[in-house]
Amino acid sequence: MYAQLVETGVKRLKTLDEMDAQERAFQEKIDAEIKIEAKNWMPDAYRQTLIRQISQHAHSEIVGMLPEGNWLTRAPTLKRKLQLLAKIQDEAGHGLYLYSAMETLGADRDTEIAKMHAGKAKYSSIFNYPTLSWADMGAVGWLVDGAAIVNQVVLQRTSYGPYARAMVRICKEESFHQRQGYEMLLTMMRHGTQAQKDMVQDAINRLWWPALMMFGPSDEHSPNSAQSMAWKIKRQGNDELRQRFVDQTIPQLELLGCTCPDPDLKWNAETGHYDFGAIQWDEFYEVLKGNGPCNAERVATRKQAIEDGAWVREAAVAHARKHHNKNAA
Amino acid sequence: MTIEHDLSHYLLHLGDNALIQGQRLSQWIGHAPALEEELALANVGLDLIGQARHWLEYAAERLDDGRDADALAFLRNERELRNLLLVEQPNGDYAVTILKQFFYDAWHFQVLHGLSTSSDARIAGIAAKGLKEVTYHLRRSAEWVERLGDGTEESHARMLAALPKVWRFTVELVNASDAEQRLAAAGLIADPLEVAAAWRAKVADVFSRATLPLPEPASPFYLDGRQGLHSEHLGLLLADMQYLPRAYPDATW
């Protein structure tokens, strides 16, 4: 998921009997699958949880421009350069949709961005890994967008209307870029040199586990999941989504002719799913805490962009004000 | 020189301009002053690299020496590139970036406008499509020149500081080569004199609204992008842009 470990601030679920009339009416609406809209009453914790989740999701789109932007000037053909630019442009657009959805909850875009720059708001752990070869562009498209789509397809049914509608639009574009990423890897594996094939396998080796971590902690270590599920912000557990991702991705990996960097991965005929090895959760929590390979650079880059651009934004505001006054006069 | 030689080189010039400007824009991605600008810069960069591809494809067909558009973009060295010096200049701050973009857009718009009635149908087609995109680019960059010129004291000062860094390269926008005169006479490209006059008028208009002083026309100096005589910036830009195709010559991407 682009948003991982979202705090709900709720220790224990209330039963319907424990709720007051307003809360009960809200929960009954949720249970009846009626979308919550901006002007509807909602519990403050629901509002705050959504602000955290949607802003984290938006921040992820924006920070996620950096690892791919890293290869924009080095894309090896005109076609690939165009595809990568289009993809990053879409990510900026997704960030804008998501900040708009978040603002319907009364939050402010600049304030939430400042929290991220101050290390007080998260973004997806995956973007703290470096992109070290061109094959990473394909692997990010295929694995990272692939994992995001598995999460986001479910979020199209999330209980908050503006978030659900943003997901519908975003999923269409993401799916296109994901296929493109896979096609890039397929081209290198089928028509490329041995050096290119090695590049692809190396990218998969480095990004496989970080992609699985995008689904968040396993359900028994996900204390906020129960409330998010009750509010139908989340619709499915982290482990279930992660399993779905593994099951759909392994055949694609085989079609590429690559291997999975997991010695414990095997098909389980009884369950009809792939069994896979243990995720290094220590690494996951360290990366989320800010101790991953690129956390410092990513945040510093975004902070710098906003600071360096302050005079530009101030000029735009000043010009608009002058112009407005002139028109009014 | 034959007209055929002039024409294929002119197509390279058009393609190289768009490619190098697109490359400079893509360096901004992730670093822009606002999210809306990230989107706009990527959008303009995408348009320009798309146009570069069309011009270089057509140049490759006319040159007919076994090279395709990618070979022309990624395997020519800095003495072979024919882009304007203006577009290869470093991005600097947003004032430099916006001025470079505006001077290029105002010129590009006129060039494509002329090319859209070229006697070569292929050129006319590519230009007509590009003209729609560049109409938007020019509107956007002219608006930013106004906003920054007539914004705050700081933004005005930054535009004044950026101007001398960029202005001298505009000499290439108004001084066409002999080859271009021949192509224009043959009805293949826009009349360079008309392009230059329209460019000057547009710059004067936007500068006046931006409360910026219009400098004296820039003087010629001893480089010439059209002839592959570039500033020192282009070599580094190409080293970055071309590294993969150079390092993996047999690769298929």
Side-chain angles (χ1 to χ4, degrees), chain B residues 81-214:
Chain B
L81 257 77
R82 296 179 172 277
N83 59 279
L84 297 162
L85 298 168
L86 175 72
V87 298
E88 74 198 34
Q89 299 311 306
N91 286 331
D93 67 2
Y94 220 54
V96 170
T97 288
I98 288 298
L99 276 178
K100 277 200 303 174
Q101 185 73 44
F102 169 63
F103 291 148
Y104 173 61
D105 291 341
W107 175 86
H108 198 193
F109 178 85
Q110 294 302 332
V111 168
L112 292 183
H113 182 70
L115 290 175
S116 64
T117 56
S118 171
S119 58
D120 181 305
R122 181 80 173 273
I123 290 177
I126 297 172
K129 183 177 179 293
L131 189 60
K132 287 182 197 151
E133 296 168 342
V134 175
T135 302
Y136 156 69
H137 304 173
L138 177 58
R139 197 185 75 210
R140 176 179 174 274
S141 61
E143 283 174 2
W144 269 112
V145 170
E146 282 186 51
R147 271 186 211 114
L148 297 182
D150 186 24
T152 60
E153 263 178 51
E154 182 184 3
S155 70
H156 186 80
R158 281 181 182 258
M159 288 297 268
L160 292 181
L163 194 49
K165 294 180 189 162
V166 180
W167 182 254
R168 66 197 195 105
F169 300 107
T170 63
V171 69
E172 287 192 324
L173 305 178
V174 290
N175 288 357
S177 66
D178 295 344
E180 284 171 30
Q181 314 279 8
R182 289 192 291 271
L183 289 168
L188 282 160
I189 72 167
D191 178 351
L193 288 178
E194 278 177 29
V195 169
W199 179 84
R200 280 196 204 92
K202 180 72 182 176
V203 171
D205 176 43
V206 170
F207 266 45
S208 137
R209 276 187 282 139
T211 69
L212 290 170
L214 191 66

Side-chain angles (χ1 to χ4, degrees), chain A residues 31 45 68 132 166 185 242 295 311 317 322:
Chain A
D31 294 341
E68 291 177 319
L132 301 176
L185 298 182
R242 187 169 12 245
N295 298 60
W311 70 272
V317 171
K322 281 185 212 180

Side-chain angles (χ1 to χ4, degrees), chain B residues 15-28:
Chain B
D16 293 349
N17 289 335
L19 177 63
I20 302 302
Q21 181 69 10
Q23 185 74 3
R24 282 293 183 214
L25 286 174
S26 64
Q27 292 174 334
W28 267 107

Side-chain angles (χ1 to χ4, degrees), chain A residues 25 31 67 128 136 139 144 152 156 211 225 250 273 299:
Chain A
D31 294 341
N128 293 309
D136 290 22
V144 175
Q152 292 174 162
Q156 293 181 75
S225 285
I250 294 302
H273 293 292
V299 174

Side-chain angles (χ1 to χ4, degrees), chain A residues 37 39 55 57 69-70 77 101 170 175 186 208 283 303 311 328:
Chain A
E37 297 297 338
K39 286 181 179 166
S55 66
H57 198 155
N70 181 35
T77 68
I170 289 174
S175 307
L186 205 56
W208 175 256
E283 177 179 326
K303 217 174 143 207
W311 70 272

Side-chain angles (χ1 to χ4, degrees), chain A residues 62 65-66 71-82 85-86 88-89 92-93 96 99 109 134 187-188 191-193 195-196 199 301-302 305-306 309 311-316 318-319 322 326, chain B residues 19 23 26-27 29-36 38-39 42-43 45-46 49-50 53 69-70 73-74 93-95 144 146-148 150-152 154-155 158 240-241 243-245 248 250-253:
Chain A
I62 301 308
M65 293 165 69
L66 300 175
W71 282 88
L72 207 39
T73 60
R74 291 177 287 172
T77 68
L78 294 168
K79 177 174 125 183
R80 296 305 183 199
K81 200 185 281 289
L82 287 166
L85 250 177
I88 297 175
Q89 189 190 352
L96 286 175
Y99 285 124
R109 171 172 131 182
W134 173 255
T187 302
M188 283 192 258
H191 308 288
T193 61
Q196 287 182 289
M199 208 186 269
T301 301
R302 289 306 307 152
I306 294 306
W311 70 272
V312 177
R313 299 190 302 277
E314 285 159 15
H319 182 266
K322 281 185 212 180
K326 256 183 239 164
Chain B
L19 177 63
Q23 185 74 3
S26 64
Q27 292 174 334
I29 305 306
H31 308 273
L35 290 180
E36 288 78 359
E38 299 282 358
L39 209 64
N43 193 344
L46 193 60
I49 291 169
R53 181 150 77 143
D70 281 324
F74 295 97
D93 67 2
Y94 220 54
W144 269 112
E146 282 186 51
R147 271 186 211 114
L148 297 182
D150 186 24
T152 60
E154 182 184 3
S155 70
R158 281 181 182 258
D240 181 48
M241 186 176 88
Y243 121 79
L244 277 171
Y248 300 92
D250 304 322
T252 305
W253 305 102

